[in-house]
Amino acid sequence: DRMSFDTISKMFNNVVNQFPEKELYFYKHNDEWIGLTGNVIKSTVEEISFGLKSISEEQFNSAILSTNTPRWAMSDYGIICSGGCTVSIYPTLISSQIEFILNDSQAKVVFVENSDQKEKVLEIKNNCSALEKIIVMDDSHKGSDDSIINYMDFLNIGNEFEKSSESTFEQQVEVANPNDLLTLIYTSGTTGNPKGVMLTHHNLVSNINSTLNGIDFSEKDVFLSFLPLSHVFERMGGHFTAFSQGCQVYYAEGIEKVADNMGEVKPTLMMSVPRLYEKMYTGVMANVKAGSPIKQKIFNWGIITGT
C-alpha cells in the first residue's frame, strides 16, 4: 500500500515501483510534451543517489538552483534517497545571496539549471569552503574542470559507483529515519540574513497526510506545476503529495505560459496563491473594459446570473 510510508524516500520508491510504465512527469521540448515513466524516473534518481554517494558515504547537504523541471524533482529525490538533505535555492537570487546559503548550509554539491546559474556559482565558488561539485542540469558545460560535471555524466558516475557499492537502491531508500533532516528552505531574509528552516521526513509526511485528508488526490489526477519548487508550498503539494498518489505532473514552461499550458494540459489540480488569481482577475477585467458597451453589459449580466 503506497499510503504506508514514514519517509519521503520510501514514498518515492513505493510509487515508482507501483507505476513503472506510467508517464508521471512531463516537460515541454520543441513544442511537444515529453513524458517520463516511473521506470525512467527511478533509474535517474537511483543514479543521482549513487553519484552523490561516490562523493561521500557520509550524510551531506546538496543544493538545487533551478526553475521547475523534472530534473529538479529527480535531483531532489536523488539527494533524499542518498540519505542527504536538499537545500532549495530560489533561482532569482544573486551570487552574494547564493554564497550565504551555500556556506550556511555547508552544501557539498550544487545542481545548477544552466550556464547562467553556473556562472553565478563560479563567481563565489572560492568563498564556499564546503562546495566540491557543480552539476549542470542542462548538460551545457564545456571544459575540463573536474569539479563541474554535466548531469548525464553525473548519472554515468552514479551508475558505475553503484556496481561496486555494498548497498542496493532498495536498501538505500530504507536508511533514512522519520526524524532525519530532509530539507533546508531559506526564508527570503527580509530582516537580516535568510534563515534555513529545518524540515524532517516526518514534517513532510505529516503534511502530505493532512493534505490528503482534506483534498482527494488520486492517480487519475493531472497536475500543472508552476509555483517555485524552491518554496515549501509547491514542493509539498505539487511535488511530494501529487507524486505520492501517482498523479501526472506537467511542468509549466514558466509563469507567463501558465494560461497556455492550462489549455493544453487540462489539469484537474493546481497549487496556487492569491497573487495569481489577482493577476488573472486584472487581466479579465482589462479585457472587459476594452470591449464595447454591449459586451460589458453581457459580461456583467453573466456574472450576476452566475453562468
Side-chain angles (χ1 to χ4, degrees):
D1 174 20
R2 68 172 178 277
M3 283 310 299
S4 53
F5 54 87
D6 59 1
T7 64
I8 295 294
S9 35
K10 287 181 194 164
M11 178 276 282
F12 171 81
N13 201 41
N14 291 353
V15 172
V16 288
N17 287 343
Q18 187 169 344
F19 298 105
E21 303 302 326
K22 183 178 180 181
E23 291 181 330
L24 295 167
Y25 289 153
F26 292 82
Y27 64 99
K28 197 82 168 286
H29 183 68
N30 292 339
D31 284 339
E32 273 190 63
W33 289 100
I34 314 281
L36 301 177
T37 63
N39 272 336
V40 168
I41 294 165
K42 180 177 182 172
S43 66
T44 306
V45 166
E46 191 167 331
E47 288 169 346
I48 292 168
S49 179
F50 281 98
L52 292 166
K53 288 181 78 65
S54 77
I55 294 165
S56 171
E57 289 279 2
E58 300 294 307
Q59 188 276 334
F60 63 89
N61 299 342
S62 296
I64 305 176
L65 178 60
S66 169
T67 57
N68 297 8
T69 65
R71 286 187 174 186
W72 200 115
M74 293 186 291
S75 300
D76 187 29
Y77 284 124
I79 295 163
I80 292 165
C81 291
S82 74
C85 159
T86 300
V87 181
S88 58
I89 306 183
Y90 203 58
T92 54
L93 295 188
I94 58 172
S95 289
S96 58
Q97 295 168 311
I98 294 165
E99 178 185 337
F100 175 82
I101 292 173
L102 291 175
N103 279 329
D104 192 67
S105 65
Q106 290 291 288
K108 265 192 208 288
V109 174
V110 59
F111 289 82
V112 298
E113 181 171 10
N114 50 29
S115 56
D116 289 349
Q117 300 290 9
K118 177 187 72 180
E119 291 307 322
K120 284 197 229 172
V121 174
L122 289 178
E123 279 175 38
I124 47 97
K125 181 167 178 274
N126 293 339
N127 307 335
C128 300
S129 55
L131 187 61
E132 292 180 22
K133 303 283 182 194
I134 298 170
I135 315 298
V136 183
M137 294 162 83
D138 69 349
D139 298 305
S140 61
H141 180 67
K142 296 181 174 50
S144 55
D145 182 340
D146 63 2
S147 70
I148 309 173
I149 309 167
N150 281 322
Y151 190 87
M152 293 307 287
D153 295 331
F154 189 62
L155 296 185
N156 291 333
I157 291 168
N159 191 16
E160 283 305 307
F161 186 76
E162 185 174 6
K163 291 173 186 168
S164 60
S165 173
E166 309 267 294
S167 67
T168 64
F169 186 70
E170 301 297 325
Q171 290 168 316
Q172 191 51 47
V173 297
E174 299 286 333
V175 170
N177 294 308
N179 292 324
D180 286 352
L181 195 61
L182 173 86
T183 191
L184 283 168
I185 300 177
Y186 281 78
T187 61
S188 55
T190 41
T191 53
N193 283 322
K195 316 229 173 0
V197 179
M198 301 165 70
L199 296 172
T200 64
H201 283 261
H202 175 71
N203 289 146
L204 271 299
V205 168
S206 66
N207 275 166
I208 290 171
N209 289 331
S210 298
T211 303
L212 293 172
N213 286 336
I215 303 169
D216 189 23
F217 285 68
S218 92
E219 62 198 64
K220 296 189 184 70
D221 279 311
V222 176
F223 226 92
L224 182 64
S225 173
F226 67 92
L227 291 178
L229 283 168
S230 38
H231 286 180
V232 74
F233 183 57
E234 183 69 30
R235 181 118 164 269
M236 186 281 296
H239 173 52
F240 292 138
T241 305
F243 198 79
S244 75
Q245 302 308 297
C247 302
Q248 292 187 313
V249 180
Y250 284 77
Y251 287 94
E253 296 172 88
I255 194 78
E256 66 292 336
K257 288 281 189 80
V258 167
D260 295 346
N261 293 162
M262 282 171 76
E264 298 160 29
V265 171
K266 301 185 173 43
T268 58
L269 278 169
M270 287 170 74
M271 305 278 297
S272 193
V273 288
R275 182 78 192 99
L276 184 86
Y277 299 123
E278 287 165 15
K279 284 174 94 162
M280 287 165 79
Y281 175 79
T282 308
V284 169
M285 294 315 286
N287 280 341
V288 172
K289 288 196 177 80
S292 65
I294 184 80
K295 273 193 177 157
Q296 293 186 33
K297 276 194 170 148
I298 293 169
F299 177 84
N300 292 327
W301 170 81
I303 294 290
I304 292 160
T305 54
T307 47

